[in-house]
Every structure is written in structure tokens, then in C-alpha cells.
Amino acid sequence: MSPTKNSHHDLVTVDTALAEFVDRQRSRWSGVDPALTGFIDAAADFVADGKRMRPLFCLAGWRAATGTAADVPAPAGVVTAAAAWEWLQGSALVHDDLMDASDTRRGRPSVHRAFEHLHRDEQRVGDPVGFGAGTAILLGDLMLSWCDEMLRHAATVDPDLATGDGALRLARAFAVLDTCKSEVTFGQYLDVVAQTRSEVDADAALLVVTFKSAKYTIERPLHLGAVLGGADQELLDRLTAVAMPLGSAFQLRDDVLGVFGDPATTGKPAGDDLREGKRTLLVARALARLSTTDGARLTEALGTAAGVPLATELVLASGALDDVEADISRYAAEATAALSALPDAARATLEPLIDRSVRRDR
């Protein structure tokens, strides 16, 4: 999906900030051992083609707090802070792919598979699968560390964030990030736990949506940008009123793509969520609609590669897709309605992001 006109400059500055950060890492560490160059390059390549949703929402939060129009460039420190979200997202995805045994990400081998292939191609000694898995864990950990490091670097590129009120705003931003990291980890764990239960509960699926996506993808990035702009609690609450339904719509769209998405655009095999046994709201809605016999067939098919065609057929036949599409439309309408309580600059920035979140193709 191409960026909106107003977000184009923000995307360029975020990409530049990430590239400069990686260049500093290469200069600092590549001389230690040649192997580190490939390791650092793998991290850089992984985030190179992300959608940048979290940085864009972070910058939107700053604009909401400062009243800055979408076509006015943000300060370097704020851009650096926004770009830091890409490392947290990269960490989460690398670990998620390993946990789900996913072979691809964005149309390319997932990190653990890429390093497994590297091991085999170079005919190294030892276990290639273990090497790939271990490297993915380490690369995800590195990205998580880089998220904090890059946010801290915001004070270096913008001295106003290093002292006085600016330092206090940066400290508030770190508090938001700390909370977010706990929330997304809890959401991921609840998702893992759900896959160990025989029943599929809609409320449990929505709780995972709340912590794994709504807060992580939209609410906390908005909050972090807003506190960098000096937002008070009232504005944070108004941003939450937009973020939570929008984040739910974003994740439900992801769930639909995880079953019915085109691999050419999603970069993942069709039905991958079904193969992984994800207990999504889409699956919960299907089980609520299916007969006892067909529900048992769907439950048995979940979590197996061979069962993907049958599970896809049953989900579609149940009418659950229509239910979830209705949920997405309702959540998007709630988010749009909540925009009316925000300042003009915030509405102008967030309106195109709402459309981008809900009607994305990957």
C-alpha cells in the first residue's frame, strides 16, 4: 500500500533515521568480527520494507499534542523516537516467526529459515536448524535493545530533549515504551496459551487483540509521540478513544488476511494462521456458527498443514468472514467518530491512517 500524501515526508525521514542508526552500528561493531557485518545487515534488511505504521502513529501523536500540520517536518529527535518503534516491531516479528515455525515473512525466508539456509549453503558443522533458531532469538534480542538505544539517541540529535522539560518528556516516553513492551509480551503469551486450549473463546480472542495489537500498534505509539509533544492526560485519553477501536480493526483485518490473503501481497502462505492453530476471533465466530460436527472438524484441522484447505472451507462456509468484516466496519466507525474530540491537526493526520489501517492489503 502506498503512503498518503501527508505521510510521505514522515516516511522518508523515518527511513533516513533508521539508515543512519544502522550505519553507526556497522561502524562501531563490524570491525570486531566479519560475521557481525552479516548479522547487522540481517537486522537492517528485516526492517527495510516495513509498513512504518507505528512510527506514523507516533508522529501523529506528536502532531496532535503540538498542533503541527501534517506537511510540516517533525524535529529530528521526534523522528528518531518514532523510528525506534521499527526495532520493537522487528524483534516481535522475528521471535513470532520462530515461535510459529513460519517459513516466510514479506515474501522472503523468515530469519530463522534464512540462517538455517546459510548454514547449509556454507556447509558449516553442527545443526542448521538450531543455528537458525538461535540466531533468530539473538537477532530479535538485538532489535529489542536497539529500540531503547534509538529512543535514547533522540536526546543526542535533539538537545532540547536532553535537559529540563525536554528530558522529562523523554522520560515519559520511555515509561510509555516500557508499558508497551510488557503489554505486547503479555498479549503474545495469551495468544500462545490460547493455542493450548481445546475451546475457542471470542472474549479471549478479543483480549489478545487488545494487548497484542490495539495497544501495541496504535495506542502506545500515539501516546509516546504525544508525551514528547507535552500532551496532558485528557489528550491521551482522547487518543485512546481513537486508538483502541482502530487497533482492533487493524488486527481483525490481519486475521482475515492470515486466512484469505493473497500470498503475493501478504508475503505469507494463504491460511498460515490456520496452520499455526491461531485462536482468532474469525475462528471463534466460525465455531459459534458451525454445527457440532463441523465445529469438531474445524477444531481438529486447526494447527496442521494438511488441515488448512478444510479449515479455510469451513470458516468461509460458516459466514464468519461476514461477521468479522462487520466488526471491522464497526470498529473503524467508532474510531472515526472519536476523531471529532481531537484538535484539527490531529484529525487531519489520523484520518488517512484510519483508512490505511483498515483497508490495507498486507
Side-chain angles (χ1 to χ4, degrees):
M1 175 176 294
S2 58
T4 64
K5 181 180 179 181
N6 286 342
S7 68
H8 178 72
H9 181 81
D10 285 341
L11 286 172
V12 171
T13 55
V14 165
D15 286 347
T16 300
L18 286 167
E20 291 175 348
F21 180 86
V22 171
D23 285 344
R24 288 193 300 274
Q25 299 297 333
R26 287 195 186 100
S27 297
R28 182 180 182 186
W29 298 110
S30 291
V32 174
D33 188 291
L36 294 184
T37 299
F39 192 57
I40 292 170
D41 288 348
D45 290 345
F46 191 84
V47 303
D49 56 356
K51 294 185 288 293
R52 308 291 189 251
M53 295 300 293
R54 290 154 196 84
L56 288 175
F57 277 110
C58 185
L59 290 168
W62 175 80
R63 296 185 190 284
T66 60
T68 305
D71 57 353
V72 176
V78 176
V79 172
T80 298
W85 283 99
E86 286 300 288
W87 297 120
L88 180 57
Q89 171 68 349
S91 173
L93 292 180
V94 168
H95 285 166
D96 193 56
D97 285 345
L98 177 62
M99 293 165 64
D100 293 338
S102 295
D103 293 329
T104 61
R105 168 67 62 179
R106 298 168 183 159
R108 298 185 296 179
S110 50
V111 167
H112 62 283
R113 295 297 186 219
F115 278 93
E116 178 184 333
H117 297 331
L118 176 68
H119 187 289
R120 289 195 171 98
D121 291 343
E122 296 185 353
Q123 297 182 331
R124 299 187 179 189
V125 299
D127 176 22
V129 175
F131 176 74
T135 301
I137 291 170
L138 293 171
L139 193 69
D141 289 348
L142 179 68
M143 291 180 179
L144 186 61
S145 175
W146 279 2
C147 176
D148 283 355
E149 184 177 342
M150 193 164 188
L151 180 55
R152 193 174 297 108
H153 186 65
T156 301
V157 299
D158 187 351
D160 287 343
L161 294 175
T163 60
D165 179 64
L168 292 176
R169 285 185 275 119
L170 186 58
R172 290 182 69 196
F174 266 104
V176 172
L177 181 62
D178 288 342
T179 298
C180 179
K181 286 187 290 187
S182 293
E183 288 170 341
V184 71
T185 302
F186 293 151
Q188 181 76 328
Y189 177 68
L190 291 174
D191 195 14
V192 170
V193 168
Q195 294 177 57
T196 68
R197 293 171 174 159
S198 58
E199 73 278 4
V200 181
D201 181 78
D203 289 338
L206 283 171
L207 186 61
V208 171
V209 167
T210 295
F211 279 91
K212 191 177 176 180
S213 186
K215 288 181 171 293
Y216 164 60
T217 302
I218 300 178
E219 183 191 36
R220 297 312 182 190
L222 277 173
H223 282 185
L224 192 147
V227 300
L228 283 176
D232 58 17
Q233 188 59 49
E234 181 181 0
L235 178 56
L236 295 180
D237 291 343
R238 290 180 179 180
L239 290 172
T240 291
V242 176
M244 295 310 292
L246 181 57
S248 296
F250 178 92
Q251 182 57 47
L252 294 184
R253 174 60 63 210
D254 198 63
D255 292 346
V256 169
L257 291 171
V259 176
F260 300 106
D262 181 355
T265 54
T266 65
K268 303 276 281 185
D272 215 34
D273 280 2
L274 299 175
R275 178 192 63 79
E276 294 165 10
K278 297 286 188 182
R279 265 53 175 173
T280 63
L281 185 65
L282 184 64
V283 170
R285 294 269 193 260
L287 288 171
R289 280 176 161 268
L290 290 170
S291 67
T292 301
T293 300
D294 282 342
R297 294 171 70 208
L298 175 55
T299 300
E300 184 177 354
L302 283 175
T304 67
V308 168
L310 174 61
T312 303
E313 177 185 334
L314 289 169
V315 170
L316 188 59
S318 72
L321 179 58
D322 291 337
D323 288 347
V324 172
E325 288 290 354
D327 289 331
I328 292 171
S329 297
R330 175 171 55 82
Y331 283 130
E334 289 178 13
T336 300
L339 277 179
S340 62
L342 291 174
D344 291 343
R347 290 201 301 273
T349 304
L350 283 171
E351 280 176 349
L353 288 178
I354 289 178
D355 182 74
R356 187 178 183 191
S357 299
V358 175
R359 295 177 180 84
R360 59 202 175 95
D361 55 7
R362 64 185 180 95

